[in-house]
Short mmCIF file of all heavy atoms in Angstrom, two decimals:
data_model
loop_
_atom_site.label_atom_id
_atom_site.label_comp_id
_atom_site.label_asym_id
_atom_site.label_seq_id
_atom_site.Cartn_x
_atom_site.Cartn_y
_atom_site.Cartn_z
N GLY A 1 2.04 -73.90 -23.77
CA GLY A 1 0.75 -73.80 -24.43
C GLY A 1 0.82 -73.02 -25.71
O GLY A 1 1.69 -73.21 -26.55
N GLY A 2 -0.08 -72.06 -25.88
CA GLY A 2 -0.14 -71.28 -27.12
C GLY A 2 0.78 -70.08 -27.13
O GLY A 2 0.83 -69.34 -28.11
N ARG A 3 1.52 -69.87 -26.04
CA ARG A 3 2.41 -68.73 -26.00
C ARG A 3 3.61 -68.91 -26.94
O ARG A 3 3.94 -70.03 -27.31
CB ARG A 3 2.92 -68.52 -24.57
CG ARG A 3 1.86 -67.95 -23.64
CD ARG A 3 2.34 -67.94 -22.19
NE ARG A 3 2.26 -69.27 -21.61
CZ ARG A 3 2.41 -69.53 -20.32
NH1 ARG A 3 2.67 -68.53 -19.49
NH2 ARG A 3 2.33 -70.76 -19.86
N LYS A 4 4.24 -67.81 -27.27
CA LYS A 4 5.45 -67.88 -28.08
C LYS A 4 6.54 -68.52 -27.24
O LYS A 4 7.03 -67.93 -26.28
CB LYS A 4 5.87 -66.48 -28.53
CG LYS A 4 4.87 -65.83 -29.51
CD LYS A 4 5.38 -64.47 -29.95
CE LYS A 4 4.41 -63.85 -30.96
NZ LYS A 4 4.88 -62.50 -31.39
N ILE A 5 6.94 -69.73 -27.62
CA ILE A 5 7.83 -70.51 -26.78
C ILE A 5 9.17 -69.82 -26.59
O ILE A 5 9.70 -69.76 -25.47
CB ILE A 5 8.02 -71.92 -27.38
CG1 ILE A 5 6.69 -72.68 -27.34
CG2 ILE A 5 9.08 -72.69 -26.62
CD1 ILE A 5 6.75 -74.06 -27.94
N SER A 6 9.75 -69.29 -27.65
CA SER A 6 11.07 -68.66 -27.54
C SER A 6 11.03 -67.50 -26.56
O SER A 6 11.90 -67.37 -25.67
CB SER A 6 11.56 -68.18 -28.90
OG SER A 6 11.82 -69.28 -29.74
N TYR A 7 10.04 -66.63 -26.69
CA TYR A 7 9.91 -65.49 -25.78
C TYR A 7 9.69 -65.98 -24.36
O TYR A 7 10.33 -65.49 -23.41
CB TYR A 7 8.74 -64.61 -26.23
CG TYR A 7 8.46 -63.45 -25.30
CD1 TYR A 7 9.21 -62.27 -25.38
CD2 TYR A 7 7.45 -63.54 -24.34
CE1 TYR A 7 8.97 -61.21 -24.53
CE2 TYR A 7 7.20 -62.48 -23.48
CZ TYR A 7 7.96 -61.32 -23.58
OH TYR A 7 7.71 -60.27 -22.72
N TYR A 8 8.80 -66.93 -24.19
CA TYR A 8 8.48 -67.48 -22.87
C TYR A 8 9.71 -68.08 -22.21
O TYR A 8 9.98 -67.82 -21.03
CB TYR A 8 7.39 -68.54 -23.04
CG TYR A 8 7.05 -69.33 -21.80
CD1 TYR A 8 6.37 -68.74 -20.74
CD2 TYR A 8 7.40 -70.67 -21.70
CE1 TYR A 8 6.05 -69.47 -19.60
CE2 TYR A 8 7.08 -71.41 -20.57
CZ TYR A 8 6.40 -70.80 -19.53
OH TYR A 8 6.09 -71.53 -18.41
N MET A 9 10.49 -68.84 -22.94
CA MET A 9 11.66 -69.50 -22.38
C MET A 9 12.79 -68.51 -22.08
O MET A 9 13.38 -68.55 -21.00
CB MET A 9 12.15 -70.58 -23.34
CG MET A 9 11.25 -71.80 -23.41
SD MET A 9 11.17 -72.71 -21.85
CE MET A 9 12.86 -73.24 -21.67
N VAL A 10 13.07 -67.64 -23.03
CA VAL A 10 14.18 -66.70 -22.84
C VAL A 10 13.89 -65.75 -21.68
O VAL A 10 14.77 -65.49 -20.84
CB VAL A 10 14.46 -65.91 -24.13
CG1 VAL A 10 15.47 -64.80 -23.87
CG2 VAL A 10 14.97 -66.85 -25.21
N VAL A 11 12.67 -65.24 -21.62
CA VAL A 11 12.31 -64.35 -20.51
C VAL A 11 12.40 -65.10 -19.18
O VAL A 11 12.91 -64.57 -18.19
CB VAL A 11 10.89 -63.78 -20.70
CG1 VAL A 11 10.41 -63.08 -19.43
CG2 VAL A 11 10.86 -62.81 -21.86
N GLY A 12 11.94 -66.34 -19.17
CA GLY A 12 12.02 -67.14 -17.95
C GLY A 12 13.46 -67.37 -17.51
O GLY A 12 13.77 -67.31 -16.32
N ILE A 13 14.33 -67.64 -18.46
CA ILE A 13 15.75 -67.86 -18.15
C ILE A 13 16.37 -66.58 -17.59
O ILE A 13 17.10 -66.61 -16.59
CB ILE A 13 16.51 -68.32 -19.41
CG1 ILE A 13 16.08 -69.75 -19.78
CG2 ILE A 13 18.03 -68.26 -19.19
CD1 ILE A 13 16.58 -70.20 -21.15
N LEU A 14 16.08 -65.45 -18.21
CA LEU A 14 16.63 -64.17 -17.74
C LEU A 14 16.10 -63.83 -16.35
O LEU A 14 16.85 -63.33 -15.50
CB LEU A 14 16.29 -63.05 -18.73
CG LEU A 14 16.98 -63.14 -20.10
CD1 LEU A 14 16.44 -62.05 -21.03
CD2 LEU A 14 18.49 -62.99 -19.94
N GLU A 15 14.81 -64.08 -16.11
CA GLU A 15 14.24 -63.81 -14.79
C GLU A 15 14.93 -64.63 -13.71
O GLU A 15 15.25 -64.13 -12.63
CB GLU A 15 12.74 -64.09 -14.80
CG GLU A 15 11.90 -63.07 -15.54
CD GLU A 15 10.43 -63.43 -15.53
OE1 GLU A 15 10.09 -64.58 -15.13
OE2 GLU A 15 9.62 -62.58 -15.93
N ARG A 16 15.16 -65.90 -14.01
CA ARG A 16 15.79 -66.76 -13.02
C ARG A 16 17.24 -66.35 -12.78
O ARG A 16 17.73 -66.40 -11.65
CB ARG A 16 15.72 -68.23 -13.45
CG ARG A 16 16.16 -69.16 -12.33
CD ARG A 16 15.90 -70.60 -12.64
NE ARG A 16 16.16 -71.41 -11.46
CZ ARG A 16 16.14 -72.75 -11.45
NH1 ARG A 16 15.87 -73.41 -12.56
NH2 ARG A 16 16.38 -73.40 -10.34
N PHE A 17 17.91 -65.93 -13.83
CA PHE A 17 19.29 -65.44 -13.67
C PHE A 17 19.32 -64.25 -12.73
O PHE A 17 20.16 -64.17 -11.82
CB PHE A 17 19.88 -65.07 -15.02
CG PHE A 17 21.11 -64.21 -14.92
CD1 PHE A 17 22.33 -64.75 -14.51
CD2 PHE A 17 21.05 -62.85 -15.21
CE1 PHE A 17 23.46 -63.95 -14.39
CE2 PHE A 17 22.18 -62.04 -15.09
CZ PHE A 17 23.38 -62.60 -14.68
N VAL A 18 18.42 -63.29 -12.96
CA VAL A 18 18.39 -62.09 -12.12
C VAL A 18 18.11 -62.44 -10.67
O VAL A 18 18.75 -61.91 -9.74
CB VAL A 18 17.34 -61.09 -12.65
CG1 VAL A 18 17.13 -59.94 -11.66
CG2 VAL A 18 17.76 -60.55 -14.01
N LEU A 19 17.19 -63.38 -10.43
CA LEU A 19 16.86 -63.76 -9.06
C LEU A 19 18.02 -64.50 -8.39
O LEU A 19 18.28 -64.31 -7.20
CB LEU A 19 15.60 -64.62 -9.05
CG LEU A 19 14.29 -63.86 -9.28
CD1 LEU A 19 13.12 -64.83 -9.45
CD2 LEU A 19 14.01 -62.90 -8.13
N LEU A 20 18.70 -65.35 -9.15
CA LEU A 20 19.88 -66.02 -8.60
C LEU A 20 20.98 -65.01 -8.28
O LEU A 20 21.64 -65.09 -7.23
CB LEU A 20 20.41 -67.06 -9.58
CG LEU A 20 19.73 -68.42 -9.59
CD1 LEU A 20 20.23 -69.26 -10.77
CD2 LEU A 20 19.97 -69.17 -8.28
N TRP A 21 21.18 -64.06 -9.16
CA TRP A 21 22.17 -63.01 -8.94
C TRP A 21 21.80 -62.20 -7.70
O TRP A 21 22.65 -61.89 -6.86
CB TRP A 21 22.24 -62.11 -10.18
CG TRP A 21 23.11 -60.90 -10.02
CD1 TRP A 21 24.48 -60.85 -10.07
CD2 TRP A 21 22.68 -59.56 -9.79
NE1 TRP A 21 24.92 -59.56 -9.88
CE2 TRP A 21 23.85 -58.75 -9.70
CE3 TRP A 21 21.42 -58.95 -9.64
CZ2 TRP A 21 23.78 -57.37 -9.48
CZ3 TRP A 21 21.36 -57.59 -9.41
CH2 TRP A 21 22.53 -56.81 -9.33
N LEU A 22 20.50 -61.89 -7.56
CA LEU A 22 20.03 -61.16 -6.38
C LEU A 22 20.25 -61.99 -5.12
O LEU A 22 20.70 -61.46 -4.08
CB LEU A 22 18.55 -60.81 -6.55
CG LEU A 22 17.93 -59.99 -5.43
CD1 LEU A 22 18.58 -58.62 -5.34
CD2 LEU A 22 16.42 -59.84 -5.67
N PHE A 23 19.95 -63.27 -5.19
CA PHE A 23 20.12 -64.15 -4.03
C PHE A 23 21.58 -64.19 -3.58
O PHE A 23 21.87 -64.27 -2.38
CB PHE A 23 19.64 -65.56 -4.38
CG PHE A 23 19.69 -66.52 -3.23
CD1 PHE A 23 18.67 -66.55 -2.29
CD2 PHE A 23 20.75 -67.40 -3.08
CE1 PHE A 23 18.72 -67.43 -1.21
CE2 PHE A 23 20.81 -68.28 -2.02
CZ PHE A 23 19.78 -68.30 -1.08
N SER A 24 22.52 -64.09 -4.55
CA SER A 24 23.94 -64.14 -4.21
C SER A 24 24.35 -62.98 -3.31
O SER A 24 25.35 -63.06 -2.59
CB SER A 24 24.79 -64.15 -5.49
OG SER A 24 24.80 -62.89 -6.12
N TYR A 25 23.58 -61.89 -3.34
CA TYR A 25 23.83 -60.75 -2.46
C TYR A 25 22.98 -60.82 -1.19
O TYR A 25 23.47 -60.52 -0.09
CB TYR A 25 23.56 -59.43 -3.19
CG TYR A 25 24.64 -59.03 -4.16
CD1 TYR A 25 24.49 -59.24 -5.52
CD2 TYR A 25 25.81 -58.44 -3.70
CE1 TYR A 25 25.48 -58.88 -6.41
CE2 TYR A 25 26.82 -58.07 -4.59
CZ TYR A 25 26.64 -58.29 -5.94
OH TYR A 25 27.64 -57.94 -6.81
N LEU A 26 21.73 -61.20 -1.34
CA LEU A 26 20.82 -61.15 -0.20
C LEU A 26 21.28 -62.04 0.95
O LEU A 26 21.28 -61.61 2.11
CB LEU A 26 19.40 -61.56 -0.64
CG LEU A 26 18.68 -60.60 -1.59
CD1 LEU A 26 17.26 -61.09 -1.86
CD2 LEU A 26 18.64 -59.19 -1.01
N TYR A 27 21.69 -63.28 0.65
CA TYR A 27 22.03 -64.16 1.75
C TYR A 27 23.31 -63.70 2.46
O TYR A 27 23.51 -64.01 3.64
CB TYR A 27 22.13 -65.61 1.27
CG TYR A 27 23.47 -66.04 0.71
CD1 TYR A 27 24.48 -66.53 1.54
CD2 TYR A 27 23.73 -65.97 -0.66
CE1 TYR A 27 25.69 -66.95 1.02
CE2 TYR A 27 24.94 -66.38 -1.18
CZ TYR A 27 25.92 -66.86 -0.34
OH TYR A 27 27.12 -67.26 -0.84
N VAL A 28 24.16 -62.94 1.75
CA VAL A 28 25.36 -62.39 2.38
C VAL A 28 25.01 -61.18 3.23
O VAL A 28 25.43 -61.06 4.38
CB VAL A 28 26.40 -62.00 1.30
CG1 VAL A 28 27.60 -61.29 1.95
CG2 VAL A 28 26.88 -63.24 0.55
N PHE A 29 24.21 -60.26 2.67
CA PHE A 29 23.85 -59.03 3.38
C PHE A 29 22.95 -59.30 4.59
O PHE A 29 22.86 -58.46 5.49
CB PHE A 29 23.15 -58.06 2.43
CG PHE A 29 24.04 -57.50 1.35
CD1 PHE A 29 23.50 -56.87 0.25
CD2 PHE A 29 25.41 -57.57 1.45
CE1 PHE A 29 24.31 -56.34 -0.74
CE2 PHE A 29 26.25 -57.05 0.47
CZ PHE A 29 25.70 -56.43 -0.62
N LEU A 30 22.26 -60.45 4.60
CA LEU A 30 21.35 -60.77 5.69
C LEU A 30 22.00 -61.60 6.79
O LEU A 30 21.33 -61.98 7.75
CB LEU A 30 20.12 -61.53 5.15
CG LEU A 30 19.14 -60.70 4.31
CD1 LEU A 30 18.14 -61.62 3.63
CD2 LEU A 30 18.42 -59.68 5.18
N ASN A 31 23.27 -61.88 6.65
CA ASN A 31 23.97 -62.68 7.65
C ASN A 31 24.83 -61.78 8.54
O ASN A 31 25.87 -61.29 8.12
CB ASN A 31 24.84 -63.75 6.99
CG ASN A 31 25.31 -64.81 7.96
OD1 ASN A 31 25.62 -64.53 9.11
ND2 ASN A 31 25.36 -66.05 7.50
#
């Protein structure tokens, strides 16, 4: 929409990276 696309996309990419990185530990520690 009217948001700054670059900021919106880059922040979204970084957020997903962090969550994927976190998931790589959580599923191991929870097993």
